[in-house]
């Protein structure tokens, strides 16, 4: 299985990734909204109900359904 994205990875820090969307730094990412999370992001490569799935932005590493990063795009 692919490795999981860790919040301390340099890319995760750069994109503000948190495994829990509620923990996102609101001051740094003012456009973040509470209803945004990996599970409803266009780049989450799994079922909307999957606990984790690969993310295209992170080179296929696993991100948490409840996670978030600043590259979030609403799933079409
Ligand atoms: Fe989550 Fe989307 Fe960011 Fe990937 S791009 S980490 S799925 S919010």
């Amino acid at each position: 299985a692919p490795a999981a994205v860790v919040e301390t990875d340099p890319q995760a820090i750069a994109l503000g990734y948190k495994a829990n969307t509620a923990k996102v730094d609101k001051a740094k990412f003012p456009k973040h909204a509470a209803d945004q999370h990996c599970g409803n992001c266009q780049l989450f490569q799994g079922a909307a109900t999957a606990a984790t799935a690969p993310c295209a932005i992170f080179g296929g590493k696993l991100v948490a359904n409840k996670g978030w990063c600043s590259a979030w795009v609403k799933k079409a």
Side-chain angles (χ1 to χ4, degrees):
V5 173
V6 179
E7 291 179 1
T8 50
D9 288 346
Q11 190 183 3
I13 291 170
L15 291 174
Y17 174 80
K18 294 291 180 190
N20 179 349
T21 191
K23 300 277 171 65
V24 171
D25 184 340
K26 306 271 188 204
K28 207 169 170 188
F29 301 103
K31 287 193 292 185
H32 170 265
D35 63 345
Q36 299 174 354
H37 62 103
C38 294
N40 62 18
C41 172
Q42 188 68 46
L43 297 157
F44 189 71
Q45 300 177 331
T49 53
T52 63
C55 170
I57 286 284
F58 285 97
K61 282 188 173 179
L62 299 176
V63 295
N65 191 312
K66 290 189 274 191
W68 184 90
C69 88
S70 59
W72 182 88
V73 178
K74 187 178 172 62
K75 199 175 192 101

